[in-house]
Amino acid sequence: MQNFWPSSGFDQLRRDARGWLVPTDDYLRLFLARPELALVPESCDVERALHAALVLQPSRAVTPRELAALADPDARANYALFVRFRDALLSAGTLEGYYLGLFRGGHVDIPPLFVDLLAQAIVRNVLDDATDVYELRAGEMLFRAQRISTQGGQILAADRDVVDLLSETGGLGEIGRLLTQANAPMRALEMAVLAEHNAPRYWQDGERHRFLLDLTHEVRNDLSHGLTLTMTRARSGLGALARVLEKWIAHFLGVAVRIRPEPRIDDPAWRWHIGLDTEATALLNDLYEGNAVEAERQQRLLSLFRLDFADPQEMRADVAGKPVYLGLATSADQGVKLKPQNLLVNLPLRAARPQ
């Protein structure tokens, strides 16, 4: 087993007795090195002094007067955001505690980027002992948006930022962007579908996010005489995602669940559902309430999942023993932005669990 996602900050964090991640000065320094806070030639002397002081002691107090003295308004806003985020994180004591409190409180006052950075470090923690690279690639979906395409009957998930960058530059950086603008021909840079033959490369190349994940769960073969054989793929990306979500729930909530992809909901006693993204949430709500759903919206549904608690007594009494249905769908532009926090705040637990 090798290290993966080194930029997640996992190596700069430490675990408490519960296995949750405790923020450290080195972890906070990663934020100070990000483009939003890194010094630029135009940085004023006050900003340079403040940045140096924070790099030396990331948890030092920063006064409103220091922030007000920054010449650039964007710098003032960015440093104020960092200080607010840092103070709340240190007060919570762990990344997981802060993440849970952020969504249970219903007031998310940090940008989506910070949410994704927290999720990446936490998923890295959850999968620290994983040996299946399909789970690692599926884990990326919890903190990086995807674009979905269909090729030869396969449903493929690609990293959205990488796809967009390659479409702009062909993988050749600024030179590629200039060539694109000039309509000059460029070599095609392929993104490889994760498979058995290239799986070992993930340990070295996974952080480049160039691997496509095959989300095709079932393969149908039409036989003679009108017969159809449906087979479940052993290396299904949806199956790997289901296992990651099981571990995510166990890590945060301490409950064991089983999640498996489902082709449809045939349940007259359907009682509870959770959308794994904004589109799926709205779609499942409409289906549950019996509202008409356009065919185009229905076709955006990538997958349904069935979630069962290992111990029904962990559930609310009115739904104990019943399945929880999950949905994953694309937006109109074939994008997917999974929201793993939905599982943490919307599961029908018997009682709220302490952080």
Side-chain angles (χ1 to χ4, degrees):
M1 186 164 47
Q2 304 173 55
N3 193 13
F4 60 98
W5 308 343
S7 70
S8 67
F10 177 75
D11 292 338
Q12 286 73 40
L13 295 156
R14 62 181 180 86
R15 288 185 172 124
D16 65 7
R18 188 178 184 176
W20 285 13
L21 298 173
V22 178
T24 65
D25 282 352
D26 283 341
Y27 180 69
L28 294 174
R29 288 187 181 101
L30 295 178
F31 287 85
L32 293 167
R34 290 193 55 83
E36 297 83 3
L37 292 174
L39 295 174
V40 295
E42 296 79 16
S43 298
C44 67
D45 291 341
V46 174
E47 182 181 350
R48 293 180 183 278
L50 177 59
H51 191 273
L54 284 170
V55 169
L56 183 65
Q57 187 183 356
S59 58
R60 75 180 284 276
V62 178
T63 66
R65 183 174 181 178
E66 287 180 286
L67 294 175
L70 296 173
D72 182 69
D74 290 335
R76 286 199 298 272
N78 289 340
Y79 277 91
L81 173 61
F82 168 73
V83 170
R84 187 174 73 246
F85 163 75
R86 178 204 66 182
D87 291 348
L89 179 60
L90 293 175
S91 176
T94 62
L95 271 64
E96 287 89 343
Y98 174 68
Y99 188 91
L100 266 180
L102 195 64
F103 293 104
R104 283 180 172 172
H107 178 59
V108 180
D109 61 351
I110 60 174
L113 171 64
F114 278 39
V115 174
D116 290 339
L117 292 173
L118 288 170
Q120 181 182 18
I122 296 170
V123 176
R124 174 64 180 80
N125 187 28
V126 169
L127 298 179
D128 186 43
D129 59 355
T131 58
D132 186 348
V133 295
Y134 289 85
E135 289 187 19
L136 305 187
R137 176 59 184 86
E140 294 179 31
M141 296 181 68
L142 276 64
F143 57 89
R144 291 186 68 90
Q146 307 290 305
R147 287 205 187 281
I148 306 300
S149 63
T150 302
Q151 299 179 16
Q154 291 178 296
I155 303 173
L156 302 176
D159 188 277
R160 183 190 65 188
D161 290 347
V162 172
V163 169
D164 290 351
L165 180 62
L166 292 180
S167 67
E168 293 176 6
T169 70
L172 300 176
E174 190 60 31
I175 293 176
R177 183 174 285 106
L178 294 173
L179 290 172
T180 300
Q181 293 172 355
N183 295 319
M186 293 189 299
R187 62 180 177 85
L189 198 155
E190 295 183 356
M191 297 178 69
V193 178
L194 188 63
E196 294 297 326
H197 70 276
N198 61 23
R201 282 176 37 211
Y202 185 92
W203 299 104
Q204 289 78 36
D205 297 344
E207 196 157 51
R208 297 174 65 197
H209 307 295
R210 294 284 182 88
F211 285 99
L212 302 171
L213 183 64
D214 189 350
L215 300 180
T216 314
H217 188 63
E218 292 184 342
V219 178
R220 299 182 61 183
N221 293 319
D222 293 326
L223 308 177
S224 59
H225 306 293
L227 298 177
T228 300
L229 176 64
T230 301
M231 301 178 62
T232 300
R233 296 180 64 250
R235 282 300 193 181
S236 161
L238 290 177
L241 177 60
R243 294 191 297 273
V244 172
L245 296 178
E246 290 172 354
K247 295 177 182 181
W248 174 262
I249 291 170
H251 181 73
F252 272 100
L253 305 179
V255 297
V257 300
R258 183 191 178 196
I259 302 175
R260 62 181 186 270
E262 291 278 301
R264 64 187 62 84
I265 299 177
D266 291 325
D267 186 351
W270 176 0
R271 294 293 303 278
W272 203 276
H273 62 268
I274 300 172
L276 295 175
D277 59 273
T278 302
E279 298 288 339
T281 298
L283 179 59
L284 289 179
N285 287 344
D286 281 339
L287 291 173
Y288 181 77
E289 294 168 4
N291 298 329
V293 177
E294 303 87 346
E296 187 271 336
R297 279 186 68 203
Q298 292 188 43
Q299 291 172 358
R300 292 188 207 164
L301 190 65
L302 281 177
S303 180
L304 296 164
F305 300 85
R306 173 174 172 147
L307 181 154
D308 292 283
F309 280 70
D311 182 1
Q313 293 186 16
E314 297 278 4
M315 305 178 69
R316 279 176 31 172
D318 58 331
V319 293
K322 298 185 181 298
V324 175
Y325 295 104
L326 314 177
L328 182 66
T330 68
S331 59
D333 63 354
Q334 294 301 297
V336 172
K337 184 65 177 75
L338 198 148
K339 295 187 173 183
Q341 64 268 24
N342 289 1
L343 289 171
L344 306 180
V345 298
N346 294 327
L347 277 179
L349 296 174
R350 182 185 59 206
R353 291 180 167 263
Q355 295 185 15

